[in-house]
Amino acid sequence: MTNLIAPARSSNPTERKRREVSRRRFLQGAVMLGGAAMVDPVFFRDSAWAGPPLGVRDRIFVLIELSGGNDGLNTLVPASNSAYYAKRGTAQNATTTGPSSAIGIPADLTLPVGEGFGLHPNLTYLKSRFDGGDLAIVRGVGHPSKDHSHFSGMARIMAGNNSETYTTGMFGRWLDGMGMDGLAGINVGGSSVPLVLQGTQAEVTGLSSWGGLFGASTQQHETLAYDSLTNLGDDDIGKGLWSNEVADTFQAAVREARRIDPIYSPNVSTNNYLARNLTFAARLINLDLGARVITVSQGGYDTHSNQLAGHAKLMKDLDDGLKALFENTSPAFRSRVVVMTYSEFGRRVERSDSAGTDHGTSSVMFVVGDHVHGGFASDAPSLTALDSRGDLNLTTDVRSVFATVFDDWLDADHTALLGATYPKLNLFDENSGAGNAEPLLAAVAYQSMQPARILDTRTGVGLGRIFRLGAGQSIDVPVSGQGNVPLTGVGSVSINVTVSDCDAPSYLTIWPTGDPRPNASNLNMVAGQTVPNLVVSKLGAGGKVSIFNAAGTTNVIVDVVGWFPVDNSFTSLVPARVLDTRVGIGVAKGKVGSGGVVPLTVRNRGGVPDRSDLDAVVLNITVAEPTAPSYLTVWPNGDARPNASNLNMVAGQTVPNLVISKVGTGGIVNVFNANGSTHIIADVLGWFPRGSGFHPIVPARILDTRTGNGAPEAKVGQSGLVELQVSGRGGVPTDAKSAVLNVTATEADAVSYLTVWPAGQGRPDSSSLNTSPGLTVPNLVITKLGKGGVVDLYNAFGTVHVIADVVGWFD
């Protein structure tokens, strides 16, 4: 086991480099307090264990070990083969031994799958997947060594190569080669890590399933201990290098445990240990922390005696476990999951005198998933042409099965991983491999586009007439089929709405045409002001949105910047008010003071469901009656408040801004007010589950022309352009397709506007944000990323400082 460099607090880099310490021994005990489940990385580096979220084409593989040697003949029963009953007799049923220790399952009880074979009667879920074309059955499979030892037989399979030392496993080597670690490889159900996941470089995790993680408890003594441990690594504790390393380790371990903790709630109330662990596996997948290979084990298959009853229970538990896995996996990830069962060997054909079976060779493997090519993937072995020991001869080398998974599902080179080339099987649907140009995650991600103007009441664009929207008036604006938005298949749109030349204090409400107008506002203005705000709205009747103006008259401009398909994991809502400090909605009535924080519960409110996979919400947040220049910051509860702003205001100003925020612990987002006091109003417009294609992040500042962050330290001049690198910064990966930015303009010396668009494309005739001297103006921008992950920001007139905080990204 390699010792890895851990950062010491010495300011001398040479000293830090000389001091090496392995953190693993600390981590194995770090979260064992308070009834905690163990999080045990095989290696721990300075970086967090959690990997990046899945890319849109990444696949997930779940490997279930049937430990002890599964009897393939009673799993897939050769019900029409008389040799089977001649060797095993005919039992009374699937659980009771028949006369003379008979263990052959009666043919009429099996679940027919063709060619005279039937599944064990307890495999009803697998039968349904077979009937749906999603279950491949590999017959006659095993290792050519015909090793009858549980330990070396399993080690040979897990190693996957011809080595006799068994120091690394095939998926451990894959993780090494892919440069993935942490939560990319996870063993669920035990704090140790099986050989199959162990490599030489990559960190992998063993995760026990016997309780809530430390820090999740509401017990006061555990909460206090959690807070103490997570604070240990913040400063030099004054006890020397080793004490600081221990402190760092406790802090990192407990924080990572907190990230994994959602898999333990709600409690899984079942005595089926495998179903429990596979439910946790599904929840891990839904968390989107980078899991690519998950291993789970089910023991008890060494059935030397009284096999029928014990094996029947194992089959029932296996079937229920597989059902639990797929039913608990989010629809956004389900098509990306393939599950495979394997065992170290099969059982002897002939029954023993104790109504069981001895160690054998050939067995059966199941491969199940939405993109599995169903049916029999190999030939069945003969029950009469046995080897010298009375064992079945193999028809399929188990390494051919793994070779197919590597090449056709994980887009790897099996020859490099297994040390030899093996014939592959037809296990997957055509064009379903990881290298396929089209992602399996279809129709769930946001479709970003070049901004396009679809309404301008000043020029007649959109409705064909020049007019001002009057007090109490509404207009229905066609969106489908406009500005590169498709005519059909669109569920929701993101539009940038701007008011211009308003002659009275007022507000706009935007909602799906045909629904009642909600008690919500999307944009607030005063006389003479030009104000923009991004709006995410569900489309109503005829593919339209309705826009209402409360008072006075105003011009309205709408630029469409993207859309969500109908068949989409994002759920757009009719706007609903979830916070109003003026009247006491969401919190107690009263202004939020300087440095005040409002913990806003969004889960199970305003149409947002009470779901464990709730990931992010879309909120329109407005300040009213502020007493001083200030700003608001919105961030997920449980994380540190970021150095970012979502909304800026001056005294007396009513200002809205759209916010997309990751939802924190307890279903809460926090809202912070920097200075003075102000009322805060929030309307919820929609929500994202995990796996939606949108990845919310804690806001991170990637541009500030005041400090030289992301661009030179200078104002952006008239007709000035900033080329902002987005991908690879602030938590946005290099393969992101679109990003969500909160863009702020400050210290403008002229009335102007900013336009944001993907680099490499022509500047669109649209505005993302409007500015005026003396105001600090923010607006949320959803933009497609251009060439090299860059977006361009253009300032029309005068000079202005520009700040951008990234809050999320789309596949």
Side-chain angles (χ1 to χ4, degrees), residues 259 262 283-289 330-333 569 603 611-616 662-663 687-694 696:
R259 297 189 68 183
R283 293 175 180 178
L284 276 169
I285 292 168
N286 296 342
L287 279 178
D288 197 14
L289 297 177
S330 166
F333 292 106
S569 295
R603 180 181 291 165
R611 288 174 44 156
S612 60
D613 65 341
L614 175 64
D615 199 20
K662 185 176 179 65
V663 178
W687 60 277
F688 295 89
R690 297 186 189 95
S692 66
F694 173 64

Side-chain angles (χ1 to χ4, degrees), residues 460-480:
V461 169
L463 296 180
R465 58 190 175 95
I466 297 174
F467 68 101
R468 292 171 64 85
L469 187 60
Q473 290 183 345
S474 298
I475 52 173
D476 299 333
V477 180
V479 180
S480 293

Side-chain angles (χ1 to χ4, degrees), residues 7 14 46 53 97 175 203 233 277-278 284 312 331 381 394 401-402 423 429 477 553 667 692 703 711 724 735 753:
T14 304
D46 300 343
T97 301
L175 293 167
E203 305 162 359
N277 288 336
L278 287 174
L284 276 169
L394 304 181
V401 187
F402 284 107
D429 293 339
V477 180
T553 65
S692 66
L703 174 67
L724 176 61
D735 61 350
Y753 63 88

Side-chain angles (χ1 to χ4, degrees), residues 156-435:
R156 289 178 191 274
I157 294 175
M158 287 186 170
N161 54 22
N162 294 317
S163 172
E164 296 291 329
T165 57
Y166 314 134
T167 56
T168 62
M170 62 179 96
F171 286 98
R173 296 192 294 272
W174 178 68
L175 293 167
D176 283 346
M178 293 292 288
M180 293 184 294
D181 52 25
L183 296 177
I186 306 173
N187 180 58
V188 178
S191 56
S192 62
V193 174
L195 174 66
V196 72
L197 284 179
Q198 294 186 25
T200 59
Q201 301 175 31
E203 305 162 359
V204 293
T205 300
L207 187 62
S208 179
S209 62
W210 44 266
L213 289 174
F214 187 68
S217 173
T218 57
Q219 296 292 321
Q220 185 178 13
H221 68 279
E222 293 189 10
T223 303
L224 289 173
Y226 170 80
D227 291 339
S228 298
L229 289 175
T230 53
N231 290 331
L232 271 178
D234 289 340
D235 300 293
D236 190 327
I237 63 176
K239 301 292 186 180
L241 172 66
W242 284 92
S243 295
N244 286 333
E245 292 304 329
V246 173
D248 279 345
T249 299
F250 269 111
Q251 184 186 56
V254 177
R255 283 180 175 168
E256 283 308 309
R258 194 66 178 264
R259 297 189 68 183
I260 299 169
D261 179 67
I263 74 169
Y264 295 102
S265 180
N267 184 48
V268 181
S269 56
T270 177
N271 293 325
N272 181 346
Y273 187 68
L274 179 64
R276 176 182 175 85
N277 288 336
L278 287 174
T279 299
F280 290 146
R283 293 175 180 178
L284 276 169
I285 292 168
N286 296 342
L287 279 178
D288 197 14
L289 297 177
R292 297 295 304 278
V293 180
I294 300 174
T295 60
V296 181
S297 178
Q298 181 192 26
Y301 283 92
D302 197 14
T303 51
H304 286 282
S305 61
N306 300 316
Q307 173 175 308
L308 276 181
H311 192 254
K313 184 179 186 306
L314 291 169
M315 292 290 98
K316 180 68 164 61
D317 286 354
L318 174 63
D319 196 66
D320 289 346
L322 288 166
K323 183 178 181 181
L325 172 70
F326 283 103
E327 287 189 348
N328 284 282
T329 300
S330 166
F333 292 106
R334 196 173 298 147
S335 66
R336 307 218 226 170
V337 177
V338 159
V339 183
M340 189 169 82
T341 66
Y342 77 115
S343 198
E344 62 264 45
F345 44 66
R347 314 297 295 185
R348 189 69 49 83
V349 178
E350 191 164 2
R351 67 189 184 275
S352 66
D353 292 338
S354 55
T357 50
D358 292 328
H359 297 185
T361 53
S362 168
S363 191
V364 170
M365 295 174 69
F366 295 131
V367 185
V368 60
D370 290 356
H371 290 272
V372 167
H373 180 77
F376 294 117
S378 60
D379 295 330
S382 170
L383 271 70
T384 55
L386 305 177
D387 69 9
S388 59
R389 297 185 55 175
D391 285 334
L392 295 167
N393 285 301
L394 304 181
T395 63
T396 309
D397 189 323
V398 66
R399 291 168 293 188
S400 283
V401 187
F402 284 107
T404 307
V405 169
F406 280 125
D407 284 8
D408 296 346
W409 187 247
L410 297 177
D411 198 30
D413 180 357
H414 87 264
T415 302
L417 291 167
L418 304 182
T421 301
Y422 297 94
K424 294 195 298 181
L425 309 178
N426 185 17
L427 293 179
F428 300 102
D429 293 339
E430 187 177 358
N431 296 326
S432 68

Side-chain angles (χ1 to χ4, degrees), residues 71 108 158 183 256 289 421 529 544 556 617 668 709:
D71 182 14
D108 61 346
M158 287 186 170
L183 296 177
E256 283 308 309
L289 297 177
T421 301
Q529 195 175 17
K544 299 178 181 180
V556 182
V617 290
I668 295 171
N709 178 10

Side-chain angles (χ1 to χ4, degrees), residues 426-451:
N426 185 17
L427 293 179
F428 300 102
D429 293 339
E430 187 177 358
N431 296 326
S432 68
N436 182 42
E438 292 298 323
L440 295 183
L441 184 62
V444 297
Y446 174 75
Q447 308 296 310
S448 187
M449 50 185 269
Q450 182 84 335

